[in-house]
Amino acid sequence: MAGVTLEQVALEARVSTATVSRIINGTGKVSARRKKQVMDAIEKLGYRPNLVAQSLARGQSMNVGVLTQDISSPYFSQMHKGIEQGFQGSGYHPIFVSEEWRDDQDHAALEVLLSRRVDALIVLGGYIEDDVLLKISRNTPMVVVGRLVPGLEKQCLQVNNHHGGLLATRHLLDLGHRHIAHIAGPDTHYDAVERMAGYMQALQEAGVPLNRQLVVEGQFSEEGGMRATEKLLKLGMPFTAIFACNDQSALGAQLVLQKKGFRIPQDISVVGYDDLSHSAFIYPPLTTVRQPGLKMGRAAAQCVLDLLSEKSPHLPAFHNELVVRESSGRAAGSEVIVPAETATLAVEAKPVQKRKRASKKDS
């Protein structure tokens, strides 16, 4: 039945409109008998409360803005799913707006969310300046995921990206690699900068000089990973392994290497970052650093609900994990140093650089 009013529900249930309103809004005490009368009437008539009017009356929109780096990113889609799960049954609904990797000084995406009068914000990484976020947080409850904002430490959910970069690079060093290329993410993004810092620290700890020519930006995408790998090969600088800043870049790197006739990992090892769902099903399956995106999304939603309830948010600890698969193997002629707790595939390899198929020209 279309256009059913509160008054019609009250008439059907033989109660006042004030009683119907209290039951719908969960305010005030109502007897179980009257509550059943009203709920039966609502079901019979097909009444749908005006959520917009209710939210305006409460001074709330019941919407939570989510500022994400890339709405189409497989990694962020895991986090988006976790956020949606975290808000289920709460009455709040997430609105997702993407930065699309823009270096936008006007912060248009953020302004879109604020113009919707959202009750809270979740910021997933990104490049927006700390002072901008801190200023907004004074009027809008905010949870930041993937970075630390000074002054908002109790509302920041983090995974140690620096440690993840260390894990990936140390793994390759333990396999005997000393010429390790790095496909970096955009230097405007905190997670990319921290992962590269972990890569650089691991080299330093191992006494391996950093070769800046082996660090190429890959834009966190498959296409970017392809372009970065093509650039590395054209430089002619020998390398036996690639640590890519995310799995998408790593997949692009593997595709170029295989097209050029390189064997993975016998000629060149590849390590990614994120552990996307399909990374275990490519060939060869990708060694990577796992991030708990789904759990982080759920936790971010719960932190927002705590803030909106004026509770102290609970900040769970999240950890990266190295997942070793067949895309990484030992460097040619090297002695493998395998940590006791890590199972690593050891493969015989030959010292080949820029090996081409005999029947094809290098493109």
Side-chain angles (χ1 to χ4, degrees):
M1 181 176 178
V4 177
T5 65
L6 198 72
E7 289 76 14
Q8 287 173 302
V9 173
L11 184 63
E12 176 70 26
R14 301 187 301 279
V15 298
S16 68
T17 55
T19 298
V20 176
S21 180
R22 286 199 299 271
I23 290 171
I24 291 174
N25 294 318
T27 59
K29 293 183 178 180
V30 180
S31 69
R33 180 179 63 83
R34 287 192 175 180
K35 184 175 182 180
K36 185 177 186 306
Q37 288 175 221
V38 170
M39 297 309 294
D40 288 345
I42 287 174
E43 184 176 355
K44 179 181 178 180
L45 299 176
Y47 173 70
R48 295 292 180 268
N50 188 330
L51 297 179
V52 174
Q54 288 181 2
S55 65
L56 288 173
R58 289 192 299 263
Q60 294 176 294
S61 68
M62 301 305 291
N63 293 321
V64 175
V66 182
L67 187 65
T68 183
Q69 292 184 26
D70 185 350
I71 206 78
S72 64
S73 164
Y75 172 69
F76 282 105
S77 68
Q78 294 178 8
M79 207 174 290
H80 300 162
K81 184 177 181 180
I83 290 171
E84 290 177 329
Q85 291 177 355
F87 283 124
Q88 282 179 359
S90 70
Y92 286 92
H93 305 279
I95 298 176
F96 297 93
V97 175
S98 176
E99 289 182 289
E100 297 291 347
W101 309 111
R102 293 187 300 261
D103 187 10
D104 186 352
Q105 296 302 316
D106 294 328
H107 308 310
L110 184 57
E111 290 300 323
V112 167
L113 290 174
L114 295 175
S115 69
R116 295 291 186 93
R117 302 180 64 85
V118 293
D119 296 329
L121 279 170
I122 297 175
V123 179
L124 304 181
Y127 62 84
I128 293 178
E129 298 87 344
D130 291 345
D131 59 337
V132 173
L133 295 179
L134 193 59
K135 182 179 179 180
I136 293 171
S137 72
R138 292 172 188 146
N139 298 309
T140 305
M142 180 184 296
V143 171
V144 181
V145 181
R147 58 186 275 199
L148 180 64
V149 178
L152 284 178
E153 291 87 353
K154 294 182 179 180
Q155 293 159 233
C156 294
L157 288 171
Q158 297 184 81
V159 167
N160 192 330
N161 282 288
H162 183 275
H163 181 247
L166 276 172
L167 284 177
T169 312
R170 283 173 177 170
H171 169 64
L172 291 169
L173 289 165
D174 289 340
L175 290 171
H177 295 279
R178 292 298 179 267
H179 302 286
I180 303 171
H182 179 50
I183 299 179
D187 61 8
T188 52
H189 291 264
Y190 292 84
D191 45 3
V193 172
E194 290 174 358
R195 290 171 199 178
M196 185 166 70
Y199 158 80
M200 294 169 67
Q201 181 180 329
L203 294 180
Q204 183 180 29
E205 289 176 348
V208 177
L210 172 65
N211 185 342
R212 292 280 180 182
Q213 289 185 289
L214 292 182
V215 178
V216 182
E217 187 174 320
Q219 289 296 320
F220 273 164
S221 68
E222 291 88 346
E223 184 179 354
M226 291 178 66
R227 288 197 302 266
T229 305
E230 288 168 348
K231 182 176 180 179
L232 286 167
L233 294 173
K234 286 179 181 178
L235 287 173
M237 189 70 60
F239 61 92
T240 63
I242 294 175
F243 163 41
C245 206
N246 70 346
D247 283 1
Q248 291 172 263
S249 300
L251 299 185
Q254 286 200 170
L255 180 59
V256 168
L257 292 174
Q258 289 167 333
K259 282 185 173 181
K260 300 290 187 181
F262 292 95
R263 298 169 301 164
I264 303 171
Q266 293 93 328
D267 300 330
I268 298 178
S269 290
V270 179
V271 174
Y273 201 110
D274 286 337
D275 193 27
L276 300 179
S277 58
H278 58 272
S279 296
F281 301 101
I282 61 169
Y283 184 79
L286 183 66
T287 294
T288 185
V289 177
R290 177 178 293 159
Q291 289 206 96
L294 192 68
K295 291 181 180 178
M296 292 175 72
R298 289 178 189 151
Q302 185 57 56
C303 285
V304 163
L305 294 175
D306 289 342
L307 289 171
L308 291 169
S309 301
E310 298 184 351
K311 299 177 183 177
S312 297
H314 172 62
L315 300 176
F318 293 104
H319 303 285
N320 290 313
E321 177 188 357
L322 179 68
V323 181
V324 179
R325 300 192 181 106
E326 288 101 289
S327 70
S328 58
R330 72 169 186 166
S334 65
E335 181 180 351
V336 183
I337 306 170
V338 183
E341 70 277 9
T342 304
T344 305
L345 178 68
V347 184
E348 291 295 331
K350 296 180 180 180
V352 180
Q353 290 298 323
K354 296 195 71 173
R355 188 174 63 85
K356 304 185 179 91
R357 295 182 190 274
S359 60
K360 293 185 179 181
K361 293 184 177 180
D362 191 5
S363 56

